[in-house]
Amino acid sequence: MAGSVVLLLLLLLVVVAVLGAAHVYLWRRLVRDVTASRPLRRAGAVAAAALTLLVPATLAGTRLLGPLRSAWLAWPGFLWMALLFYLVLALAVLELPRLVLMRTAGRSRPAAADPQEERVPVPAVAGGPSAGPAVAGGAAGGAPPADVAGPRASGDGPGTREAPAPAPMGRRLLIARGAALAAGAAAAATVGHGLYRGLGAPDVKVVRIGLKRLDPRLAGFRITMASDIHLGPILGRSHTERIVRLVNATSPDVVAVVGDLADGSAAELGPAAEPLARLTPRHGAFFVTGNHDYLSGADAWIEELAGFGVRTLRNEHLEIARGAAAFDLAGVNDVTGASHHDGPDFDAALRDRDPSRAVVLLAHQPVQVHEAVRHGVDLQLSGHTHGGQLAPFNLAVRLQQPVVAGLARMPGGGGRPDTQLYVSRGAGAWGPPVRVGAPPDITVIELHPA
């Protein structure tokens, strides 16, 4: 226990350090480089420090306060997370052209103490140390001498001196401000569009998949899957109601909720999930656990879902029959369940099944497909990745998962049949309700004999 607490504290320190570095970078590019005003720089530093703390405060607050009491914190905190990501990304992309332009600007103008200030000649003040007799006399007589008003006033003669005067903005400052404005506009537009997609209705997709062992009498069988609903401080009951309407409109034979239903306890979010009781599949609605479900009390959620008529497949399978034709629908727990003594068990899930029948497996994480291949599964349906949610984060997801989104075929080897893997982008969003390059989806898997 003590070791896990120490590990958590170390992880928190690393997160704060990374966030601090990101906010220092933003302060340099968006504040220090664009203004010489000390009050503005100090205000920017204070804002950067506060925003650095906002992110971990949001992550901790939504967990400690619960989803219903933390919405006031979740909205600004999660939106800033998305904006921070794209501000840093946009500024990083602009670093090279910014550096080239800065060097070019430095070579194209003479060095000066202040690049924003231009020295121009002005007339000397009467009686001043540079004023000659003619100037003094003219001033005493009440009329300006001719040589002040004439060519010497423009720097031609000794009766003049140089003083600061307004000049066009320095090129370096212009480049810095242009880069800051471009990055800010790009980040704001990206997050704005992503928020519109993230809070909007999921796309409904139909994917035809051929299975060699599928009985031809089951051709056109429809499994409508909705993964990663993520009920929480931002997505609530209206989100579930919309998903149920969209799912029912597909005329599903089976509904599969493939993990990560909620970011909060069943006691708090049960009413938000209640519309699931109105699902209308012909052969039942089924659920498998995801990693977030274990953080939210998986056992309580399984009981809550049973009350809504949604059955959880916990390392087990059952027969789905239409007339005399049938296939096996199996489900395994998420890999996170292993730390709760409730991990995936493929042997138990697929034991004593008819090997002549096709088997469709529900497993939250795509990485579980490696075990599915070893057990001769025909098709695995997964979620978890959100399609990356915030592009180009999908590139990082590829380092951990074999497929980010869509349909793929995994070679069986050793005489085993190939296993097909379909990964949904999910119907909700974790953290920022923002989707960039990965719109939410509900997928209708239409089975056909291969």
Side-chain angles (χ1 to χ4, degrees), residues 212-284:
K212 289 183 178 180
R213 291 187 289 185
L214 187 72
D215 191 308
R217 291 170 292 181
L218 292 171
F221 193 95
R222 297 164 75 85
I223 302 174
T224 301
M225 62 180 296
S227 73
D228 302 276
I229 294 174
H230 282 289
L231 299 175
I234 292 177
L235 300 175
R237 185 183 177 92
S238 61
H239 175 57
T240 312
E241 289 174 340
R242 178 169 59 191
I243 289 172
V244 169
R245 286 196 302 270
L246 292 172
V247 168
N248 286 342
T250 67
S251 299
D253 293 302
V254 161
V255 171
V257 181
V258 194
D260 282 3
L261 172 63
D263 291 301
S265 68
E268 287 189 272
L269 294 175
E274 187 274 334
L276 294 174
R278 296 193 285 278
L279 289 168
T280 58
R282 298 180 184 86
H283 299 278

Side-chain angles (χ1 to χ4, degrees), residues 95-196:
E95 278 297 330
L96 182 58
R98 178 182 178 278
L99 179 62
V100 171
L101 290 173
M102 285 288 191
R103 289 184 178 275
T104 303
R107 290 195 299 266
S108 64
R109 63 177 296 146
D114 185 351
Q116 301 177 55
E117 185 174 276
E118 184 178 338
R119 310 293 294 186
V120 297
V122 297
V125 179
S130 63
V135 176
D147 63 333
V148 173
R152 289 186 187 178
S154 53
D156 295 14
T160 62
R161 67 179 177 86
E162 290 186 348
M169 184 185 300
R171 294 184 186 179
R172 289 178 178 270
L173 182 62
L174 182 63
I175 293 167
R177 289 182 175 177
L181 286 172
T190 301
V191 172
H193 176 72
L195 185 65
Y196 171 77

Side-chain angles (χ1 to χ4, degrees), residues 58-375:
T58 300
L59 295 174
T62 52
R63 179 60 55 184
L64 297 175
L65 297 176
L68 301 183
R69 293 188 296 274
S70 62
W72 62 272
L73 180 61
W75 275 102
F78 284 136
L79 286 180
W80 173 245
M81 284 174 62
L83 192 59
L84 169 67
F85 177 72
Y86 284 108
L87 276 172
V88 170
L89 182 63
L91 287 168
V93 169
L94 290 173
E95 278 297 330
L96 182 58
R98 178 182 178 278
L99 179 62
V100 171
L101 290 173
M102 285 288 191
R103 289 184 178 275
T104 303
R107 290 195 299 266
S108 64
R109 63 177 296 146
D114 185 351
Q116 301 177 55
E117 185 174 276
E118 184 178 338
R119 310 293 294 186
V120 297
V122 297
V125 179
S130 63
V135 176
D147 63 333
V148 173
R152 289 186 187 178
S154 53
D156 295 14
T160 62
R161 67 179 177 86
E162 290 186 348
M169 184 185 300
R171 294 184 186 179
R172 289 178 178 270
L173 182 62
L174 182 63
I175 293 167
R177 289 182 175 177
L181 286 172
T190 301
V191 172
H193 176 72
L195 185 65
Y196 171 77
R197 283 307 273 126
L199 295 177
D203 296 339
V204 178
K205 303 167 60 178
V206 179
V207 178
R208 291 170 56 98
I209 298 179
L211 303 181
K212 289 183 178 180
R213 291 187 289 185
L214 187 72
D215 191 308
R217 291 170 292 181
L218 292 171
F221 193 95
R222 297 164 75 85
I223 302 174
T224 301
M225 62 180 296
S227 73
D228 302 276
I229 294 174
H230 282 289
L231 299 175
I234 292 177
L235 300 175
R237 185 183 177 92
S238 61
H239 175 57
T240 312
E241 289 174 340
R242 178 169 59 191
I243 289 172
V244 169
R245 286 196 302 270
L246 292 172
V247 168
N248 286 342
T250 67
S251 299
D253 293 302
V254 161
V255 171
V257 181
V258 194
D260 282 3
L261 172 63
D263 291 301
S265 68
E268 287 189 272
L269 294 175
E274 187 274 334
L276 294 174
R278 296 193 285 278
L279 289 168
T280 58
R282 298 180 184 86
H283 299 278
F286 301 92
F287 174 73
V288 290
T289 54
N291 53 309
H292 284 252
D293 301 310
Y294 284 102
L295 296 174
S296 304
D299 289 336
W301 269 114
I302 289 169
E303 184 178 346
E304 188 82 6
L305 287 171
F308 301 150
V310 179
R311 174 177 173 177
T312 300
L313 296 177
R314 305 180 78 172
N315 297 325
E316 58 185 313
H317 75 271
L318 51 81
E319 177 186 285
I320 302 292
R322 187 165 71 184
F327 72 95
D328 290 326
L329 181 68
V332 291
N333 300 337
D334 184 66
V335 294
T336 310
S339 61
H340 298 261
H341 308 290
D342 193 30
D345 187 337
F346 284 78
D347 289 332
L350 299 168
R351 185 182 297 128
D352 300 328
R353 55 169 299 270
D354 183 350
S356 68
R357 289 199 303 235
V359 57
V360 177
L361 175 73
L362 308 182
H364 178 61
Q365 297 197 37
V367 73
Q368 294 174 278
V369 75
H370 301 303
E371 279 293 325
V373 169
R374 283 193 282 272
H375 286 80

